[in-house]
């Protein structure tokens, strides 16, 4: 289990109406997931240590008998913890990981391991990768995958990803989107002002989502199962790129705004797209 205590607590609680998932609710979700795991015969769970001790608090329940092992790793309370935890879990032969967090949490897991199946429970903001699955069902699904009760090829999809190269060298990856921004400071990577963005690359363009993916979904819906990705350029970002059309999109919780689009197209799998800094 990898639970991110910082999920759903960024600046979008102030600049938008992003929901807050408090630690006690994350503990309740984890407790239900543990009960689901136990119900299908799982007797040992491995967890990433975190600053709020979420999994440990969830395990502190008289109805739970399964063992809990906390990974022997220093907790620096950064994205690096999640990457390291996923690497350790892969080395230990963990059969499935339940994550609590958002797109960023699952991106960090994927950076640490590309082979462990993920049951991603959404507790973040503008989530596209994780879903609002009930904790009990997440535990049941993960447990059945580990026990061989579910055929992985029938119940899972291998996620697409975007790879970022700088001067020909691999630099980073993303599961959902890559955005080029004029902002000098990255901070939490939360976006609510589209005037700061000029180009976006997506693996998924979901009309039912919020954020950059929802904008793409109004141009051409693209699901996890569809091949390739989608690119769009924001119009009006400079005088050479006037808007060809506008789409009305929810770019953050409670913020719906027309977004000018100068250009967009589908991206075939494997295509490399050069970009210029601005």
């Amino acid at each position: 289990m990898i639970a991110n205590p910082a999920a759903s607590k960024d600046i979008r609680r102030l600049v938008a109406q992003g929901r807050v998932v408090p630690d006690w609710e994350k503990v309740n979700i984890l407790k239900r997931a543990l009960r689901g795991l136990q119900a299908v015969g799982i007797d040992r769970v491995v967890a990433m240590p975190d600053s709020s001790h979420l999994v440990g608090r969830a395990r502190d329940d008289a109805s739970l008998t399964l063992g809990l092992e906390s990974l022997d790793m220093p907790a620096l309370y950064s994205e690096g913890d999640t990457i390291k935890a996923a690497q350790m879990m892969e080395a230990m032969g963990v059969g499935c990981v339940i994550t609590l967090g958002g797109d960023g949490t699952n991106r960090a897991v994927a950076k640490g391991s590309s082979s462990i199946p993920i049951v991603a429970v959404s507790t973040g903001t503008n989530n596209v990768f994780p879903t609002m699955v009930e904790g009990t069902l997440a535990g049941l699904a993960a447990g059945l995958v580990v026990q061989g009760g579910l055929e992985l090829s029938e119940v899972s999809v291998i996620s697409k990803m975007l790879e970022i190269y700088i001067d020909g060298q691999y630099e980073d990856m993303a599961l959902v989107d890559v955005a080029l921004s004029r902002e000098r400071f990255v901070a939490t990577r939360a976006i609510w002002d589209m005037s700061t963005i000029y180009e976006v690359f997506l693996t998924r363009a979901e009309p039912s989502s919020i954020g950059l993916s929802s904008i793409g979904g109004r141009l051409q819906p693209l699901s996890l199962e569809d091949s390739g990705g989608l690119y769009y350029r924001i119009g009006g970002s400079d005088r050479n790129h006037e808007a060809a059309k506008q789409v009305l999109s929810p770019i953050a919780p409670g913020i719906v705004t027309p977004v000018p689009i100068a250009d967009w197209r589908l991206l075939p799998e494997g295509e490399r797209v050069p970009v210029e800094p601005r």
Side-chain angles (χ1 to χ4, degrees):
M1 285 182 157
I2 293 179
N4 180 6
S8 80
K9 296 178 182 177
D10 66 33
I11 195 172
R12 283 168 291 188
R13 267 29 62 174
L14 299 176
V15 300
Q17 284 69 53
R19 67 170 181 150
V20 176
V21 182
D23 285 354
W24 60 262
E25 175 57 18
K26 293 173 184 174
V27 170
N28 283 338
I29 294 170
L30 289 165
K31 187 173 296 188
R32 298 195 295 270
L34 288 170
R35 290 183 178 181
L37 288 166
Q38 183 171 283
V40 293
I42 300 299
D43 58 12
R44 175 172 168 262
V45 171
V46 177
M48 179 188 77
D50 69 84
S51 59
S52 296
H53 309 289
L54 297 175
V55 182
R57 288 159 61 188
R59 170 60 184 82
D60 188 17
D61 185 311
S63 68
L64 292 170
T65 59
L66 73 179
L68 174 63
E69 176 185 346
S70 182
L71 291 173
D72 184 13
M73 56 176 280
L76 303 177
Y77 311 126
S78 69
E79 179 186 74
D81 290 356
T82 303
I83 297 172
K84 177 65 174 177
Q87 291 171 338
M88 293 178 68
M89 289 179 179
E90 182 179 82
M92 296 169 68
V94 168
C96 187
V97 60
I98 297 174
T99 62
L100 263 67
D103 292 337
T105 302
N106 288 282
R107 168 181 165 273
V109 172
K111 289 176 71 172
S113 171
S114 59
S115 63
I116 303 178
I118 299 173
V119 178
V121 180
S122 172
T123 57
T125 315
N126 292 15
N127 296 156
V128 176
F129 188 88
T131 56
M132 297 287 290
V133 61
E134 213 288 321
T136 313
L137 298 178
L140 288 170
L144 288 171
V145 166
V146 172
Q147 300 284 51
L150 293 174
E151 186 63 41
L152 196 57
S153 61
E154 297 178 358
V155 298
S156 66
V157 177
I158 297 176
S159 178
K160 297 176 283 186
M161 67 174 63
L162 295 161
E163 294 183 332
I164 303 164
Y165 291 79
I166 297 178
D167 296 330
Q169 299 296 315
Y170 174 80
E171 184 70 22
D172 210 340
M173 57 80 73
L175 292 175
V176 178
D177 54 47
V178 171
L180 276 64
S181 170
R182 294 182 182 80
E183 292 286 358
R184 294 180 59 193
F185 303 103
V186 173
T188 62
R189 296 186 175 90
I191 294 171
W192 64 91
D193 181 1
M194 291 305 298
S195 68
T196 65
I197 302 297
Y198 55 92
E199 287 182 279
V200 176
F201 300 84
L202 300 171
T203 62
R204 298 163 65 175
E206 304 278 5
S208 60
S209 66
I210 289 180
L212 301 178
S213 179
S214 75
I215 299 171
R218 280 145 184 83
L219 299 169
Q220 173 66 60
L222 190 71
S223 73
L224 181 61
E225 291 82 7
D226 294 326
S227 176
L230 186 142
Y231 160 84
Y232 61 85
R233 187 173 72 244
I234 303 297
S237 55
D238 59 52
R239 60 186 177 184
N240 296 321
H241 293 152
E242 296 302 322
K245 64 183 299 184
Q246 283 193 340
V247 295
L248 187 67
S249 297
I251 60 171
I255 299 180
V256 182
T257 185
V259 180
I261 303 296
D263 186 28
W264 72 273
R265 66 183 178 90
L266 294 174
L267 297 172
E269 185 175 346
E271 179 180 355
R272 290 198 174 195
V273 181
V275 297
E276 297 293 334
R278 300 186 188 181

